[in-house]
């Protein structure tokens, strides 16, 4: 089944917040998860860490990464 309509030309921007990346063990496709505060990120890392590989990506504010793996880069 084909999709109707014109494809997007602009890449989606990331919302402001803290991001972690989850990978299921044995699988290489990651999932990004956003949380509002660092305390929520730490709790999520603890919960998901039991069954998945968790990587802290950093904080996004104003369209830029403030810390973490992508520090100083633009989000899009």
């Amino acid at each position: 089944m084909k999709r109707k309509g014109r494809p997007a030309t602009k890449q989606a921007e990331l919302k402001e917040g803290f991001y972690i990346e989850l990978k299921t063990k044995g699988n290489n496709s990651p999932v990004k998860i956003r949380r509002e505060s660092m305390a929520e990120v730490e709790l999520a890392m603890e919960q998901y860490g039991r069954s998945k590989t968790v990587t802290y990506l950093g904080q996004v504010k104003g369209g830029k990464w403030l810390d973490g793996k992508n520090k100083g880069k633009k989000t899009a």
Side-chain angles (χ1 to χ4, degrees), residues 1-32:
M1 176 183 251
K2 285 191 172 185
R3 293 180 184 232
K4 293 185 179 182
R6 191 174 139 222
T9 57
K10 185 177 174 186
Q11 191 174 15
E13 293 282 328
L14 293 176
K15 291 183 178 181
E16 291 186 1
F18 297 86
Y19 284 84
I20 58 174
E21 183 178 71
L22 305 175
K23 288 185 183 179
T24 304
K25 293 178 180 166
N27 193 351
N28 289 334
S29 58
V31 175
K32 287 182 186 173

Side-chain angles (χ1 to χ4, degrees), residues 3-4 10 14 19 22-23 31 34-35 39 42-43 45 49 56-57 63 66-68 71:
R3 293 180 184 232
K4 293 185 179 182
K10 185 177 174 186
L14 293 176
Y19 284 84
L22 305 175
K23 288 185 183 179
V31 175
R34 182 183 68 85
R35 295 288 186 247
E42 291 170 356
L43 182 63
M45 288 177 77
Y56 175 69
L57 295 177
L66 298 181
D67 63 352
K71 183 178 181 179

Side-chain angles (χ1 to χ4, degrees), residues 44-56:
M45 288 177 77
E46 183 180 314
Q47 289 175 342
Y48 289 116
R50 296 184 189 121
S51 62
K52 300 183 184 304
T53 304
V54 181
T55 306
Y56 175 69

Side-chain angles (χ1 to χ4, degrees), residues 54-70:
V54 181
T55 306
Y56 175 69
L57 295 177
Q59 180 183 5
V60 173
K61 190 166 188 174
K64 290 189 178 182
W65 292 96
L66 298 181
D67 63 352
K69 185 176 166 182
N70 299 319

